[in-house]
Amino acid sequence: MSLNKSVPETLSSSLHEASPDYVGLVRFLVEPFLESPQLLSVDCERSNTKDRVWIRVAFDVADKGRVFGRGGRNIQAIRTVIQAAAQAAGQSVHLDIYDSQGGESRRDAAPGGRGGAKRAPATRSSTPKPAPKFRSQ
């Protein structure tokens, strides 16, 4: 007995057969962050078995900070939406971010890491403290 008679039983099986429009979805999610959306390039590649999808996104380097957001919050939210769409279709998805010249973004290359330029080790500008004096008994 079905509680909702307006939705046919075949709907759930057709969801797994249809593949989401990843290019359109990524464009919809990324374009609002871009100063020059005409430079956005999205490429989608599916495996032969159609269960894995690779998405490559390239945009102007100047827009990188806005797309990634503070602490990578924006790009993580974009990844979450894309992964949810892929999971609903029974697929797994991998998102690669490139700059407009085709080089992979350092921040996105290492998963889970804090990217960007590495900081120089902290150095003290003052003279070192003298060694502690020990009491002799």
Side-chain angles (χ1 to χ4, degrees), residues 133-137:
K133 296 180 182 178
F134 294 103
R135 292 185 186 172
S136 58
Q137 294 185 350

Side-chain angles (χ1 to χ4, degrees), residues 14 28 42 53 65 92 95:
S14 66
F28 175 77
V42 182
V53 179
S92 65
L95 179 67

Side-chain angles (χ1 to χ4, degrees), residues 2-13:
S2 176
L3 296 176
N4 189 353
K5 302 233 182 219
S6 63
V7 178
E9 296 278 337
T10 58
L11 179 62
S12 62
S13 64

Side-chain angles (χ1 to χ4, degrees), residues 31-110:
E31 277 184 358
F33 297 110
L34 303 177
E35 283 288 321
S36 9
Q38 68 275 12
L39 295 178
L40 177 64
S41 171
V42 182
D43 179 49
C44 183
E45 180 181 338
R46 291 179 176 86
S47 68
N48 290 338
T49 59
K50 306 258 187 213
D51 62 344
R52 290 193 179 179
V53 179
W54 289 269
I55 302 172
R56 292 175 203 89
V57 179
F59 48 84
D60 190 25
V61 179
D63 295 326
K64 180 178 166 185
R66 282 190 298 273
V67 172
F68 278 86
R70 285 190 190 202
R73 289 180 187 153
N74 292 348
I75 196 66
Q76 187 58 43
I78 291 168
R79 285 181 190 278
T80 301
V81 171
I82 294 169
Q83 287 172 351
Q87 187 177 8
Q91 299 172 335
S92 65
V93 67
H94 183 76
L95 179 67
D96 287 328
I97 308 290
Y98 294 85
D99 60 26
S100 60
Q101 286 82 29
E104 189 166 6
S105 171
R106 303 181 107 213
R107 185 171 184 176
D108 199 44

